[in-house]
Amino acid sequence: MHISDGTRLMLRIGTGITLAFIWIPLVVIGIYAFNESRSQAWPIEGLTTEWFSKAFDNPGVREAVWTSVQAGLGATALAMILGTLAALAVSRYRFFGRETISFLVILPIALPGIVTGMALNSTFTQVLNVDLTLFTIIVGHATFCIVVVYNNAVARLRRTGTSLEEASQDLGADGWQTFRHITLPSLRSALVAGALLAFALSFDEIIVTTFTAGSEQTLPIWIFTNYSRPNQLPIVNVVGLLLILISIIPVYLANRLTQDPTGTAAPGAGGAAAAASAH
Amino acid sequence: MGRRLTGFLWRHPRAQLGLLLSGPVGWLVIAYLGSLAVLFVASLWQLDDFSGEIVHDYGLQNFQELWETPVYRTIVGRTVAIAAAVTVTDAILAFPIAFYMAKVATPRVRALLVVAVLMPLWSSYLVKVYSWRIMLQESGIVNWLLEPFGLHGPGFGNVATWLVFSYLWLPFMVLPIYAGLERIPDSVLDASGDLGGKPWMTFRRVILPLALPAVVAGSIFTFSLTLGDYITPQLVSSTQFIGNVVYANVGIANNLPLAAAFATVPVAIMIVYLLIARRLGAFESL
């Protein structure tokens, strides 16, 4: 296709500006994590790694990390089971309301976070009369994590087709054997990818969490309660860098696991929809 | 026993299906849709003025209060206005990079750009806002950069909120527009050029109409996410958004019915928005 040199240059500049806009804040927080001074002024005065050990020894941070890990693991486990079951039903059966399932799965992330948070909060406190604890955090996170497991599993099931499963049945395997020896192995890497994404999502979530956490503190909530305390700021910066790394690494791994061998699949808004859950 | 069960399930595919669906559908319908229903019911409850207890009587007084209190109307107006501004900004910022990815870049560069846009999308939301807080503060990097030019940054306020929201949701706009532009055949653009269309003309008369559904699809995210946020306004401004009022009424003021009523406002706005988006063909681009 012909594109004039002028247009090409303009597009390059536009692309550069947008990329810089996207990446600069992440780089800045990375630099501040090594900031020697307690002051947050720019330019920073010197580099140090002492805040990393201070953050590591901080009891509040440790407790928050542990809460976040527990919530992430619990939500991921639940989302794995529910997402896989829904994906199997939608891709291997025809039934009334099949399209509704995809809509239902995506709804918790499509609606604004305060709506989901408020809805769960009203139900827990007014109808069920349960205390807001780690358990309620897990229920909330699992609800919006289902979609990433579901999306990954549906995409894989669509790509693998049913011929292997039919062959297995023809050779005399029953339904359970076929599931264990054929369906599950072909799903494995997609499920691992879904689990990594679900964990990253849960680890990072704050809006729904504040409505379902009660007095529990996850790592994002710890940041949210400490960003206004000047003394804690260096540690907040370190925790910030940590959170960025913990959410990026699983995404990178998940991307590697589900990569289309032909490299042709373009990520559409479906990918964006799944990622929208990060908020 | 196990064999008999699998045998039974093999003969009854409907039972298989029921077993598969009962968990996820049960969860989403009972735990999620049920909670949404509770939210709507709770918005009809009221607070006893004297005891501060929630009274389970039904009425529209919360909605009446929202409608009649000027400050709440201002807050809804501000939230919607910023959401619209953010959507327009993101569309403008997203177009060049999406077009470059779809039509100019080599496959290798394209793959790199997709990763470069996707990775920040997944990195911690809160930390990104916090980073902007550090950059926009009085002694921050923004003022440091602008000072040699005799300029001063926006500080904390509505401009900062607009800037940070635009930053946060930009990847949600880039990805659908990229996918939408990729579907436009090169031959259509070449034909426009061959027929004498200058680049700007081709953009306005050919590319934009064909890419519009994708832009609207992206705008669903930028709009909806802005409507439901309360963290960003709290970190980089002192003004209130719908989310802040909801959050304050659940926590400090302990007026859950009013918070529930206010939380239904973004839902109503989004329903209208989605209906318009469907008319513009955005759902096929999702």
Side-chain angles (χ1 to χ4, degrees):
Chain A
M1 193 185 67
H2 177 76
I3 294 170
S4 73
D5 286 347
T7 314
R8 204 175 280 260
L9 183 70
M10 297 272 281
L11 284 171
R12 285 233 166 85
I13 294 171
T15 305
I17 291 173
T18 304
L19 274 184
F21 185 53
I22 288 178
W23 279 93
I24 284 173
L26 299 182
V27 175
V28 166
I29 201 77
I31 296 173
Y32 267 103
F34 297 94
N35 183 7
E36 207 173 56
S37 152
R38 266 180 204 278
S39 143
Q40 304 294 303
W42 183 271
I44 63 169
E45 286 156 21
L47 297 172
T48 176
T49 51
E50 72 163 299
W51 303 118
F52 282 83
S53 52
K54 289 247 165 69
F56 187 76
D57 290 333
N58 184 304
V61 173
R62 282 177 160 229
E63 225 168 273
V65 169
W66 178 230
T67 308
S68 276
V69 168
Q70 284 174 297
L73 291 178
T76 304
L78 274 170
M80 283 272 277
I81 297 168
L82 299 172
T84 312
L85 291 176
L88 282 170
V90 165
S91 23
R92 292 293 185 256
Y93 299 86
R94 322 230 131 249
F95 54 93
F96 177 74
R98 207 169 68 108
E99 281 75 33
T100 322
I101 303 282
S102 312
F103 178 74
L104 203 57
V105 167
I106 234 169
L107 198 62
I109 59 161
L111 285 178
I114 45 158
V115 177
T116 301
M118 262 307 294
L120 291 171
N121 180 287
S122 325
T123 306
F124 288 138
T125 59
Q126 300 301 312
V127 179
L128 302 175
N129 282 321
V130 292
D131 289 330
L132 299 177
T133 56
L134 182 64
F135 172 75
T136 53
I137 299 180
I138 291 176
V139 171
H141 285 196
T143 306
F144 61 73
C145 281
I146 295 175
V147 67
V148 286
V149 178
Y150 171 85
N151 274 354
N152 271 296
V154 162
R156 177 64 55 87
L157 286 168
R158 192 178 299 142
R159 213 162 70 204
T160 53
T162 54
S163 50
L164 282 177
E165 286 161 16
E166 280 159 15
S168 158
Q169 307 257 10
D170 288 347
L171 292 169
D174 62 31
W176 172 247
Q177 286 171 323
T178 303
F179 176 76
R180 228 186 72 80
H181 297 291
I182 307 293
T183 316
L184 203 56
S186 73
L187 264 180
R188 193 181 295 135
S189 64
L191 289 183
V192 173
L196 285 167
L197 293 177
F199 188 83
L201 209 57
S202 159
F203 208 83
D204 180 38
E205 215 285 334
I206 176 151
I207 295 192
V208 177
T209 315
T210 46
F211 285 95
T212 51
S215 58
E216 294 281 339
Q217 280 203 336
T218 63
L219 208 48
I221 293 185
W222 185 87
I223 292 187
F224 197 54
T225 43
N226 283 282
Y227 77 88
S228 51
R229 296 177 189 162
N231 255 340
Q232 298 278 39
L233 284 181
I235 295 177
V236 172
N237 293 338
V238 171
V239 174
L241 181 61
L242 188 80
L243 263 179
I244 290 184
L245 293 178
I246 289 179
S247 44
I248 280 185
I249 292 169
V251 174
Y252 175 76
L253 292 176
N255 198 28
R256 292 284 301 265
L257 281 170
T258 53
Q259 218 143 52
D260 191 350
T262 56
T264 47
S277 36
H279 318 280
Chain B
M1 167 63 198
R3 275 204 91 75
R4 251 164 72 197
L5 185 67
T6 48
F8 171 81
L9 287 174
W10 187 75
R11 284 187 302 275
H12 300 86
R14 289 281 120 183
Q16 271 178 47
L17 179 63
L19 212 62
L20 285 176
L21 278 178
S22 57
V25 169
W27 184 283
L28 288 166
V29 170
I30 296 169
Y32 192 65
L33 292 185
S35 297
L36 283 179
V38 170
L39 176 72
F40 289 115
V41 171
S43 72
L44 301 174
W45 291 339
Q46 46 202 306
L47 212 60
D48 189 288
D49 284 339
F50 296 105
S51 64
E53 296 285 315
I54 293 166
V55 187
H56 292 199
D57 289 338
Y58 299 96
L60 289 170
Q61 60 289 336
N62 292 314
F63 292 95
Q64 193 181 1
E65 187 179 341
L66 290 178
W67 183 251
E68 284 172 358
T69 315
V71 69
Y72 290 144
R73 281 201 304 240
T74 313
I75 287 169
V76 172
R78 178 189 298 135
T79 308
V80 172
I82 297 263
V86 166
T87 301
V88 173
T89 312
D90 277 346
I92 293 170
L93 281 173
F95 227 100
I97 189 170
F99 192 83
Y100 189 82
M101 283 159 76
K103 295 294 176 199
V104 184
T106 58
R108 235 185 82 83
V109 175
R110 177 181 312 166
L112 271 175
L113 284 174
V114 169
V115 174
V117 173
L118 263 181
M119 288 289 228
L121 174 67
W122 280 89
S123 73
S124 174
Y125 154 83
L126 179 64
V127 178
K128 285 186 277 190
V129 186
Y130 173 69
S131 174
W132 274 101
R133 187 182 155 83
I134 290 184
M135 294 198 303
L136 287 169
Q137 66 183 345
E138 196 51 45
S139 55
I141 194 168
V142 171
N143 283 337
W144 178 77
L145 280 172
L146 291 175
E147 211 188 319
F149 305 100
L151 296 169
H152 196 263
F156 295 155
N158 279 337
V159 176
T161 315
W162 160 74
L163 193 66
V164 176
F165 276 138
S166 301
Y167 171 77
L168 289 169
W169 319 137
L170 180 59
F172 293 101
M173 192 60 108
V174 176
L175 293 173
I177 296 185
Y178 160 61
L181 289 174
E182 212 179 30
R183 281 196 293 267
I184 302 177
D186 288 357
S187 55
V188 175
L189 305 184
D190 280 335
S192 168
D194 291 346
L195 292 168
K198 295 264 182 323
W200 174 245
M201 183 76 115
T202 306
F203 171 75
R204 223 170 52 89
R205 303 286 290 272
V206 180
I207 300 174
L208 203 55
L210 286 172
L212 189 69
V215 177
V216 179
S219 79
I220 294 173
F221 296 106
T222 56
F223 202 79
S224 162
L225 291 168
T226 310
L227 284 186
D229 202 294
Y230 67 91
I231 307 272
T232 299
Q234 195 166 329
L235 258 77
V236 298
S237 83
S238 52
T239 47
Q240 293 222 307
F241 277 60
I242 295 178
N244 300 99
V245 179
V246 173
Y247 182 64
N249 273 299
V250 174
I252 308 145
N254 214 3
N255 188 347
L256 187 115
L258 186 71
F262 216 10
T264 62
V265 174
V267 179
I269 297 174
M270 275 322 289
I271 289 172
V272 174
Y273 198 89
L274 288 173
L275 288 175
I276 298 171
R278 195 172 65 177
R279 290 210 121 196
L280 294 171
F283 283 22
E284 283 76 48
S285 299
L286 274 175

